[in-house]
């Protein structure tokens, strides 16, 4: 097992595990970079949240997370130019995005996590190419 590290030492876009609500969860580490600071988040991938419930979970930058190797997301083509729902992945001109509910303290209802970088972005549904089916893949 890998040694836990504080969240601020783990790059956005990394896969991590930790115990959430009594269950070991596999998460994608995400970050929202602000003008003066960076907010750290997790997006729970496994156990997969119910439809419409995938969300950013704000975490303290000091929270110990366990980095995970040998995990990736696998994608398959879905319908073209279809508006995504919460929990859907989609392709647009900038890459692959995951639509999630925003943090409860945010003024936004939803945000988008750029899967390749783990960066949280606003308003990414413009220029949607297609929805993408996704699943966790272990190497």
């Amino acid at each position: 097992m890998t040694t836990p590290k504080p969240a601020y030492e783990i790059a956005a876009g990394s896969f991590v595990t930790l115990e959430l609500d009594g269950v070991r969860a596999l998460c994608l580490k995400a970050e929202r970079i602000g003008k003066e600071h960076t907010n750290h988040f997790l997006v729970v991938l496994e156990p997969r949240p119910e439809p419409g419930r995938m969300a950013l979970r704000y975490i303290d930058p000091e929270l110990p997370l366990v980095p995970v190797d040998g995990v990736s997301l696998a994608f398959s083509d879905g319908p073209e130019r279809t508006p995504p729902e919460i929990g859907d992945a989609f392709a647009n001109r900038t890459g692959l995005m995951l639509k999630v509910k925003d943090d409860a303290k945010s003024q936004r209802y939803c945000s988008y996590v750029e899967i390749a970088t783990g960066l949280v972005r606003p308003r990414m549904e413009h220029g949607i190419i297609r929805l993408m089916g996704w699943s966790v893949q272990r190497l």
Side-chain angles (χ1 to χ4, degrees):
M1 183 168 176
T2 306
T3 305
K5 296 180 180 180
Y8 72 87
E9 288 184 12
I10 298 174
S14 298
F15 294 96
V16 298
T17 62
L18 82 156
E19 186 124 346
L20 289 173
D21 305 322
V23 176
R24 175 71 49 194
L26 175 69
C27 304
L28 179 67
K29 166 94 178 341
E31 294 178 356
R32 178 180 285 138
I33 299 172
K35 293 178 183 173
E36 298 179 17
H37 62 280
T38 298
N39 286 317
H40 301 266
F41 298 94
L42 295 177
V43 177
V44 176
L45 303 173
E46 282 185 343
R48 194 164 184 163
E50 294 176 26
R53 299 191 52 95
M54 185 170 278
L56 290 176
R57 293 179 69 131
Y58 175 79
I59 56 171
D60 185 300
E62 299 288 336
L63 179 71
L65 303 174
V66 179
V68 178
D69 292 323
V71 173
S72 64
L73 293 180
F75 298 95
S76 59
D77 285 345
E80 293 183 18
R81 290 184 276 290
T82 302
E85 299 293 327
I86 299 292
D88 285 344
F90 64 94
N92 68 10
R93 65 189 179 286
T94 61
L96 292 174
M97 302 288 166
L98 187 60
K99 184 175 181 178
V100 296
K101 283 185 177 182
D102 209 319
D103 183 61
K105 297 174 187 166
S106 173
Q107 295 177 351
R108 298 178 187 99
Y109 172 71
C110 64
S111 282
Y112 306 87
V113 177
E114 188 174 3
I115 294 168
T117 64
L119 295 179
V120 178
R121 309 253 187 229
R123 301 176 300 276
M124 295 304 294
E125 288 186 36
H126 298 293
I128 186 170
I129 298 167
R130 69 172 56 252
L131 288 183
M132 305 295 289
W134 66 271
S135 62
V136 174
Q137 181 177 19
R138 287 178 171 73
L139 307 174

